[in-house]
Each structure stands twice: as structure tokens, then as C-alpha cells.
Amino acid sequence: MRGLLRGEGTLDLGSAYELHPQAAIRAEAFGGLAYHYGNRRLALVKDPALAQLVRDLAHHRSLGEALAAGPVAEERQEAVLGALGSLLRSGMVRRKEPEADPPALPGGEGAPPPARAASRSLAGRLSGGLSAPICLTWELTYACNLACIHCLSSSGRRDPNELRTDQARALIDELAALSVFYVNIGGGEPTVRADFYDLVTYAVERGVGVKFSTNGSTLTRKRATQLAAMAYVDVQVSLDGATPATNDAVRGPGSFATARRAMDHLAEAGFGPFKLSVVVTRHNIDELDRLEALATAYGAQLRLTRLRPSGRGAASWERLHPTPEQRRHLYAWLRDRPHVLTGDSFFHLSALGPALPGLNLCGAGRVVCLVDPLGDVYACPFTLHPEFRAGSVLDPGGFTAVWRSSELFAGLRRPSSPGACSSCGSYDACRGGCLAAKFFTGLPLDGPDPECALGHGEEALARVPAGRAPSPGAGHSRPAAVPVPSPARR
């Protein structure tokens, strides 16, 4: 039987295959993770035998020969080949010209994979942590020329103790050694750091992809052209409304025009499908269709993010977060548009019906984390609080030791009780919601999300005593809002 799968992704036992040159695969206890730097797709390889087969493909003259080498038990071959066909269709694996003498397997790579833990769900495996983050957020600086009222890091003023260039490079070296696929760089406004583009170039050269968020104020035509020539770099332009009135009320006067000018420069430079990044609020949720149309007009992708009560968002969350009716509308809107990116922001809404695309779990300290401008490591970008500080990249052992040995992260990875949600039949769908949203509204961490899709959050919030919610701290806000500079024209 030569043709194993019909359609565009047909596998042939007599043909040779290989992991795509723009893709990478990393071993995990449950199998592995594959990431394609070209199309920015992440694939969960749920079987160690499949992960081993993908790594071995390039070392054999044909798929049949790779199977005969023995990484896949005969009774598992049909299921594993079906999954391999999915990787072929997604571009992770590609057909290659057969070689008379393919490269020999490196020592140890042909060893039988560990036994598969079939009894654990994928969510359960991920909840137990990974050998390294899928990605991490790196707030490169607290400096910012805006004063957005929902800023998760209360940015504004630069901290004099921010990581030096050599320390930042050392962190990139660690991430490369850990096979971290990419970093989400933010701030503050990361591009105001004098060494920003040098660090981006260095990361790409070390095999670590970069996605960075920007308000667009420094993104000139020259910079857009420079970015368009760089591989494995993705740009997210922040815009929180389809009109200046909606956006500028949150991000500051002139910020809409600044962002649009940056988008113009990226489009003119032929950058490709950059991201239009939107924090969903009760004031822009009625503009989602227009924001999607705007992204489409630029050949960009729309990315929606949940508003959390972190940083300056703690003071604005009550008046900005979507109403229950709006959240139900958002769930239906996203269900109809699986192409809209969310970064798993809205898994708390999965109790309303079929799960939204994504991992549908809180990844804090399990699959993601945050490095702040000083090098401190936190459970996630929205938990900038001493209670969720796991260590520092400047500690002995660096980031690797923090990720693998932190008591905080070990606690987050241990199985936990549903707590107050134990009697809810939807707990397996939403997993109790967002850690940061609960913490900064004063709710117990084993309780419901404040925006629980079934209304339990509102009930719990009504019982929170005044003053119980933890303070996000002083942050780095400027004494007053800073005017947005005129859109860059060069």
C-alpha cells in the first residue's frame, strides 16, 4: 500500500521525507513540540514514537525504510502515519529527493522512544510542565512614550537596573540551548531601547524567533524595510479600536494615527502578514468586524487579547472589561472565525460550548512565563507581583534553573483541586479560568474566574471584602500621560 492518505497531504511509503528546514521539533515526555518559523504554526506531537520518526526521516531513503528501522511499533503505525500526514499537510514535514547515502543517525537518536502515558490527557501532560517554555514573554524595558490605561506592566519610566546588552545576549543563548521556539518581546515600548534591533538580530541568528509588540511610534519606513528583510521576525501593532475616538481613549491622543502610519510602512515595505493586536474591551467589542476588515485590508492577521486587571489595568478593569452579554457575543464571534488569533486568551469562555482553538488551560509556569526588564522571572505576563516571582535569570543556573527548579513553578505544575468549581460540570472545559484575573480581583486561586461564562465569577466578586484585592504595586508609570509623538514619516 504505497499511498497511505488521500488528498494534498498523501504519504507514500516509497518516498523520502524530512522535517521542513524552517521547522524545529523538541522532545517532551508526552512526545514533542514542533514549530514552523515560516508560517508560525505550532504543532503538538502527542506520541513519542511519532516525534522520533519525524527526527529520523531525513536519515532514511524512504518512509518505508524509516518505519522498518523500528521507532514505531507495528500496532501503532496506522495512527502514527495519520498524524504524520497532518504534519505533512501543515508544512512541518515535506517530501524530499531521495539520497543514495542519507546522513547517518546521530548516536542515540534511533533508540526506542519512552512508553506513552496513554492514561493522561494532553491538557494533563501540559499542566505538568515542559522541558522549556513553548515561548516566553520578555518585557525588554519599562520605558514607554504612551500611558495606556490598561498597561499590564504599568510602564512609562525606564528602570536603571534593566538588563545590560551582554546580559540580554546571555539570556538569548540560554533560550537557544533550551530550544525555546520564540520570544514575545514587549515592554514598555521595546523599540526605544538603543540595542533593540541588535538583540532581535542576535536572537534570530541563534535560532530563536522573535515576535514583538509595538505602538508604532518608532516604526519608520527605514525600519519597516529592515524588518521586511529579516527572517523569523513577527510584528504586532497595538490598536484598541477601529476609530481614533475608541482607541485614543485607552491608548492616548494621536496613538491611532501613529499605529496606522506604522501599518502603512509595513505594508509598503512588503513585510507580509503582520499582526493587528487588540485588547478586547466593552468599548471596542462592537467594532470587531471593522477591526477584522482593517486587518484584512492590510493583509494582516487580527489578534485579540483578553483584558486583565494587571498593572494599570487593575484600576481600569471594572469599567473596561466586557459585560456578560458581550462575552457571549465574543465567544460566538470567535467560534465563527477560527482564523482570528487569540493566544489562548479566552479559554475561560469554553464553558459556553465547544472549546475555542488553543490549549484551553492556564499556561502560567507550565508552558509560558515572563522575564521582566530586570531579569526577574514571573509565572506569566499578567502576574507581575512578588507572590508570582520565581527567580531571576541572574541567579546561579540562570533561566534554566528557574524554569526547571523553581518551587513556585513546581507548585503550579502539580495537580490541583477544582476548589469552589468542583461542583461545576464545566470545570474540565475552562479549568477555572485565569490565575491573574482571579488574583488581582481578590478571588481565591481555586475559585471561579471573575468573568466565569456561567456567572459564578460575579457571585464570587460580590463577596470579596473591600480592599482585599492585592495591589499591582507602584509600577513605572509617569506622573502624567505623555503626549504621543507625531507619526513617523521617514
Side-chain angles (χ1 to χ4, degrees):
M1 182 173 62
R2 293 177 61 84
L4 300 173
L5 292 172
R6 294 188 179 91
E8 184 181 348
T10 299
L11 288 170
D12 187 324
L13 287 174
S15 296
Y17 297 89
E18 65 181 349
L19 184 69
H20 194 284
Q22 289 186 304
I25 188 167
R26 187 179 85 201
E28 295 290 345
F30 59 82
L33 294 169
Y35 183 73
H36 196 299
Y37 291 95
N39 60 29
R40 277 83 172 183
R41 287 184 175 179
L42 176 73
L44 298 169
V45 181
K46 304 175 187 179
D47 189 321
L50 173 59
Q52 187 67 50
L53 177 63
V54 171
R55 286 192 292 271
D56 290 354
L57 285 173
H59 305 287
H60 295 283
R61 296 178 181 85
S62 68
L63 175 56
E65 182 183 286
L67 286 171
V72 183
E74 186 174 351
E75 66 271 14
R76 293 282 306 145
Q77 285 189 7
E78 184 176 352
V80 166
L81 288 172
L84 181 62
S86 296
L87 291 176
L88 178 66
R89 290 190 292 276
S90 70
M92 294 289 183
V93 170
R94 72 175 187 178
R95 193 186 300 259
K96 69 164 188 168
E97 292 299 318
E99 301 173 72
D101 295 300
L105 279 167
E109 276 201 31
R116 194 166 69 121
S119 60
R120 286 186 82 190
S121 67
L122 179 60
R125 297 172 198 166
L126 294 178
S127 294
L130 299 172
S131 63
I134 292 176
C135 66
L136 61 83
T137 296
W138 185 0
E139 306 289 10
L140 201 56
T141 180
Y142 284 121
C144 191
N145 49 10
L146 298 188
C148 304
I149 63 176
H150 56 17
C151 177
L152 64 90
S153 57
S154 299
S155 289
R157 293 173 289 107
R158 181 183 180 275
D159 193 299
N161 296 314
E162 290 176 1
L163 293 178
R164 303 187 308 268
T165 301
D166 62 310
Q167 293 171 327
R169 283 180 169 235
L171 175 57
I172 292 169
D173 290 338
E174 266 200 272
L175 301 180
L178 287 170
S179 296
V180 172
F181 298 125
Y182 63 90
V183 291
N184 289 310
I185 294 181
E189 171 53 43
T191 64
V192 302
R193 259 191 74 138
D195 58 358
F196 171 75
Y197 287 95
D198 291 337
L199 291 175
V200 170
T201 300
Y202 186 72
V204 170
E205 290 174 347
R206 297 288 285 115
V208 180
V210 173
K211 301 182 181 184
F212 73 89
S213 298
T214 177
N215 59 37
S217 57
T218 72
L219 218 166
T220 61
R221 284 192 177 93
K222 181 179 179 180
R223 287 301 190 191
T225 301
Q226 178 183 354
L227 289 167
M230 298 178 71
Y232 309 147
V233 175
D234 204 3
V235 181
Q236 297 182 165
V237 180
S238 297
L239 195 69
D240 290 335
T243 66
T246 304
N247 175 84
D248 292 4
V250 172
R251 302 186 61 82
S255 58
F256 182 89
T258 297
R260 288 294 303 272
R261 185 60 60 90
M263 293 162 65
D264 288 342
H265 291 335
L266 288 170
E268 291 166 4
F271 178 85
F274 61 89
K275 307 295 187 295
L276 174 56
S277 184
V278 179
V279 178
V280 179
T281 70
R282 69 179 56 178
H283 303 300
N284 67 19
I285 202 166
D286 292 333
E287 300 178 359
L288 293 182
D289 288 340
R290 296 170 66 184
L291 287 163
E292 182 183 25
L294 180 63
T296 300
Y298 277 97
Q301 290 181 285
L302 181 62
R303 184 181 189 275
L304 303 185
T305 302
R306 182 183 177 185
L307 172 72
R308 269 85 164 191
S310 310
R312 285 197 289 269
S316 59
W317 182 81
E318 186 60 40
R319 68 180 187 275
L320 288 182
H321 78 104
T323 66
E325 182 180 357
Q326 288 177 324
R327 295 196 294 271
R328 289 189 290 271
H329 167 73
L330 174 62
Y331 168 80
W333 194 89
L334 289 171
R335 283 282 302 162
D336 290 340
R337 296 165 177 81
H339 58 278
V340 173
L341 306 175
T342 65
D344 229 16
S345 282
F346 303 101
F347 69 92
H348 66 297
L349 299 180
S350 290
L352 291 171
L356 295 169
L359 301 178
N360 276 289
L361 59 87
C362 174
R366 300 171 175 131
V367 300
V368 298
C369 66
L370 169 113
V371 177
D372 83 351
L374 283 66
D376 290 334
V377 183
Y378 293 85
C380 88
F382 307 101
T383 56
L384 284 169
H385 188 277
E387 187 161 334
F388 296 101
R389 182 184 179 275
S392 170
V393 302
L394 302 179
D395 292 341
F399 174 80
T400 304
V402 176
W403 179 259
R404 296 181 173 173
S405 306
S406 157
E407 291 183 11
L408 171 69
F409 287 174
L412 290 172
R413 293 165 188 169
R414 282 193 288 268
S416 58
S417 166
C421 297
S422 59
S423 61
C424 179
S426 297
Y427 177 77
D428 287 342
C430 73
R431 312 297 297 178
C434 174
L435 179 80
K438 290 186 276 191
F439 180 77
F440 284 115
T441 53
L443 294 176
L445 300 187
D446 63 353
D449 188 290
E451 294 183 317
C452 168
L454 303 182
H456 302 311
E458 283 84 355
E459 299 169 8
L461 283 174
R463 297 192 294 269
V464 175
R468 178 175 171 176
S471 168
H476 291 75
S477 299
R478 295 179 184 273
V482 179
V484 181
S486 300
R489 294 182 178 277
R490 291 183 179 271

